[in-house]
Amino acid sequence: GASYGYGLLWAMVIVTVCVGVVQEMSARLGAVTGKGLADLIREEFGFRITFFLMLALTLANLANVMGEFAGVASSLELFGISKYLSVPAVAAFVWLLVVRGTYKSVEKVFLIACSFYVCYIVSGVMADPDWQAAAEAMVRPTLQLDSGYLTMLVGVMGATVAPWMQFYLQSAIVEKGVEQRRYAGSRLEVIVGCLVMIVITFFIVVSCAATLHVAGRRDIADAADAAQALRPLAGEYASILFALGLFNASVFAASILPLATAYSVCEGLGFEAGVNKKFREAPVFYWLYTSLIAFGAGLILIPGIPLVRIAYFSQVANGFLLPFVLVFMLLLVNRTDLMGQFANSRGYNLVARATVCALVLLTVSLVAVSFWESR
């Protein structure tokens, strides 16, 4: 929003359709097979492929965890709280939440956290955006062949249809005990979640487009700077709500990302996993979860580390990894011996394959344009 105004809103409409289809496939795979995505990949494609996929996922997710702790640091610095206090405190909270909780208690905390996203909606309305321009931008695609714009597009896709989400959702469906006969409720949850996602994202973008972009504040040093810049442009309360929304979103994702990684790696490599298990029952699961939080939070405390760049490029890393994950999902969900009557329809395959092709094309274009600009 700060960099390109309303210009990228059109991508969010397409991305919402993509994430809806991909997440529904993930939930369906979990409900029908009773197994997590990493587990299925290991069984169907072998240990070696699974190992390298899990390694890439872990590295990308470590960058994502750093990005979320960067959001914690940035949002609370606006209120004068040093990152050397906020980051360790939040790291301890998210660790205790999962290690001492059960699946049901963790899920309730996550659902409460979701309700705080309304802060972004209020902040967006208070920014007084050009609603007509925003509406037109959602239905009028524009494309710029420069590395910054293409990197942003890959990042938007990577942040929204993130690889870790598919692993986490399928693992959660399995741990929750969702079966074929109860699948309709989970499918509805996926659809509602995707619709809420685009509404929240729309208001985040328009609040920054209507204020920062219009005022020429297009190079934001960190997220606290974005919230700070909103103050004279949209008012004190809009600035505070934006910062609170960022803090909530960052804590929320800082809990889920290490959890999703621990689920995926343990399933893929054959270790016990699950929030309902005790530390001694699933030591690898909990130690991996702990390590990701410790490293992600610890690296953010390095003086002078660029917080927003870390958050931004962690999503770009997701965009690079996503096509590989989607290919495995498509191969699995089209297997009638695995899925029976729940195998993919032609329409689902069309959207999923188009998503893979678009991401590959974007990635190749980004590399080509970056090489050309560096000459």
Side-chain angles (χ1 to χ4, degrees), residues 84-94:
Y84 298 104
L85 292 175
S86 62
V87 170
V90 169
F93 168 75
V94 298

Side-chain angles (χ1 to χ4, degrees), residues 158-204:
T160 315
V161 199
W164 65 264
M165 289 182 190
Q166 319 324 319
F167 287 97
Y168 178 75
L169 174 60
Q170 194 163 328
S171 298
I173 288 285
V174 172
E175 186 165 14
K176 206 157 71 166
V178 175
E179 299 171 350
Q180 292 181 27
R181 57 190 172 81
R182 293 173 52 206
Y183 171 63
S186 292
R187 185 177 189 178
L188 180 61
E189 285 180 353
V190 168
I191 294 168
V192 172
C194 292
L195 293 175
V196 171
M197 179 276 299
I198 192 174
V199 171
I200 299 298
T201 307
F202 173 83
F203 280 98
I204 292 172

Side-chain angles (χ1 to χ4, degrees), residues 37 43 105 116 118 152 220 230 252 258-259 290 331 350 356 368:
L37 181 56
E43 288 185 4
S105 65
F116 283 92
V118 73
M152 188 73 77
I220 300 301
L230 282 170
F252 187 21
L259 190 58
T290 302
L331 291 172
L350 182 65
V356 173

Side-chain angles (χ1 to χ4, degrees), residues 63 80 106-107 110 131 198 209 233 241 246 316 324-325 341 350 368:
V106 171
E107 187 178 52
F110 286 171
W131 298 112
I198 192 174
L233 302 167
L241 285 169
L246 173 64
V316 177
F324 297 99
V325 176
Q341 62 178 338
L350 182 65

Side-chain angles (χ1 to χ4, degrees), residues 46-258:
F47 182 84
R48 182 175 296 181
I49 287 176
T50 307
F51 175 80
F52 286 110
L53 183 62
M54 291 301 99
L55 181 61
L57 182 72
T58 301
L59 292 174
N61 281 2
L62 176 59
N64 287 321
V65 173
M66 290 176 64
E68 302 312 332
F69 281 113
V72 170
S74 295
S75 58
L76 291 188
E77 279 178 352
L78 183 68
F79 302 102
I81 301 173
S82 168
K83 69 178 182 180
Y84 298 104
L85 292 175
S86 62
V87 170
V90 169
F93 168 75
V94 298
W95 184 82
L96 287 169
L97 174 68
V98 170
V99 173
R100 299 298 182 191
T102 63
Y103 184 85
K104 284 189 175 181
S105 65
V106 171
E107 187 178 52
K108 285 175 183 175
V109 172
F110 286 171
L111 287 170
I112 292 168
C114 285
S115 65
F116 283 92
Y117 280 105
V118 73
C119 289
Y120 282 128
I121 297 177
V122 179
S123 180
V125 172
M126 293 176 73
D128 193 25
D130 185 336
W131 298 112
Q132 183 176 341
E136 289 175 358
M138 292 190 80
V139 296
R140 185 187 298 165
T142 57
L143 193 63
Q144 299 176 27
L145 286 178
D146 68 77
S147 58
Y149 189 88
L150 292 174
T151 302
M152 188 73 77
L153 266 180
V154 173
V156 165
M157 183 69 81
T160 315
V161 199
W164 65 264
M165 289 182 190
Q166 319 324 319
F167 287 97
Y168 178 75
L169 174 60
Q170 194 163 328
S171 298
I173 288 285
V174 172
E175 186 165 14
K176 206 157 71 166
V178 175
E179 299 171 350
Q180 292 181 27
R181 57 190 172 81
R182 293 173 52 206
Y183 171 63
S186 292
R187 185 177 189 178
L188 180 61
E189 285 180 353
V190 168
I191 294 168
V192 172
C194 292
L195 293 175
V196 171
M197 179 276 299
I198 192 174
V199 171
I200 299 298
T201 307
F202 173 83
F203 280 98
I204 292 172
V205 173
V206 299
S207 64
C208 292
T211 53
L212 307 180
H213 184 79
V214 171
R217 297 290 302 276
R218 299 175 188 183
D219 293 317
I220 300 301
D222 59 40
D225 188 24
Q228 189 81 39
L230 282 170
R231 184 172 290 163
L233 302 167
E236 176 80 23
Y237 293 114
S239 173
I240 291 172
L241 285 169
F242 190 89
L244 290 176
L246 173 64
F247 174 73
N248 175 72
S250 300
V251 174
F252 187 21
S255 306
I256 289 185
L257 272 161

